[in-house]
Amino acid sequence: MSNATHRPAVPGAVLAVLSGAAAVALLLDAAAQWRALLAALAGIAVCGLGYAAWQRSEAGLGALVALAGAALLAVGFFLAATGPETTTHRLELLPGLLGLAVLAAGLLPVRAGRERTLVTVGTALLFVGVVASGVFRGSPLLALLAATVATVVAWDAGEQAVSLGRQVGRQAATARAVLMHSGGTILAGAVVALAALGVYRLNVTGLSLTALVALLAAGFVLILSLRN
């Protein structure tokens, strides 16, 4: 029982981080933003390798690799804060990068026993990035809807990874279960997004983009809650 505690399952954790990265990437349109995101993703991947080495009782090697990953992650934040030419591009990127890092920290996990909290906080920050992109830069509606769906998929996959890790262990064969579960989530997200797009194009209420995205996220989370 102890081996199945506080160690999220790997397939769901990987899918959650990739979905979180997609939520950020879908809103980028500047090369400097892409460089920051790629550096942060490389840092997260290297941190994951360090954690894996530490799990194999190679604590010294794992610590060195994790430090290298943390340095790459810091480079990503530095590039996000200084690289983009406009403040708008920084405002839409930084919450997303921070959310991605917090999400990954919850799924490694950096702090055993706080996995769900970190997953929730991380995906909430990802959504802040989506809203900021709509408010400050007026990103295209389809990009906002797709990024919102990717954010919710990241949250759902992260939650499932934590649950599966506690139930069957981190290294159990859970890829099939993750794909089926997340496939349903993506399908639900596509339906809700299309409905939101239809409402927006009808223009019956003068709903703003930000309000529409917030309603989409709320409706999506409600569907997931009912499904669970």
Side-chain angles (χ1 to χ4, degrees):
M1 182 67 183
S2 60
N3 289 335
T5 302
H6 305 316
R7 296 173 62 185
V10 172
V14 171
L15 178 61
V17 173
L18 291 177
S19 296
V24 178
L26 283 165
L27 302 171
L28 304 186
D29 68 347
Q33 291 178 307
W34 277 102
R35 285 193 289 271
L37 175 61
L38 292 176
L41 281 175
I44 290 171
V46 174
C47 284
L49 293 175
Y51 181 80
W54 178 74
Q55 286 293 300
R56 294 195 302 269
S57 301
E58 298 173 357
L61 175 62
L64 288 176
V65 174
L67 282 175
L72 275 173
L73 193 56
V75 169
F77 279 104
F78 177 78
L79 292 176
T82 62
E85 295 181 356
T86 67
T87 302
T88 298
H89 281 107
R90 296 169 192 164
L91 287 175
E92 74 172 352
L93 177 59
L94 283 169
L97 280 193
L98 181 58
L100 195 57
V102 174
L103 175 65
L107 295 170
L108 281 178
V110 170
R111 179 77 182 275
R114 299 292 183 183
E115 301 89 352
R116 291 192 190 282
T117 300
L118 292 173
V119 167
T120 300
V121 172
T123 48
L125 287 168
L126 286 172
F127 186 62
V128 169
V130 176
V131 173
S133 184
V135 171
F136 296 118
R137 194 167 65 82
S139 292
L141 175 59
L142 280 177
L144 292 172
L145 293 176
T148 301
V149 172
T151 298
V152 179
V153 171
W155 171 73
D156 186 52
E159 284 284 317
Q160 190 195 26
V162 174
S163 297
L164 287 174
R166 292 182 176 181
Q167 293 167 6
V168 298
R170 184 177 180 85
Q171 301 299 335
T174 57
R176 181 182 173 84
V178 168
L179 289 176
M180 291 184 66
H181 181 90
S182 295
T185 303
I186 293 170
L187 180 61
V191 170
V192 176
L194 287 174
L197 185 61
V199 170
Y200 182 76
R201 288 190 171 174
L202 285 174
N203 197 28
V204 294
T205 63
L207 205 61
S208 69
L209 279 179
T210 305
L212 182 68
V213 171
L215 286 174
L216 167 64
F220 200 177
V221 171
L222 176 61
I223 289 174
L224 290 177
S225 300
L226 293 174
R227 187 158 64 95
N228 291 331

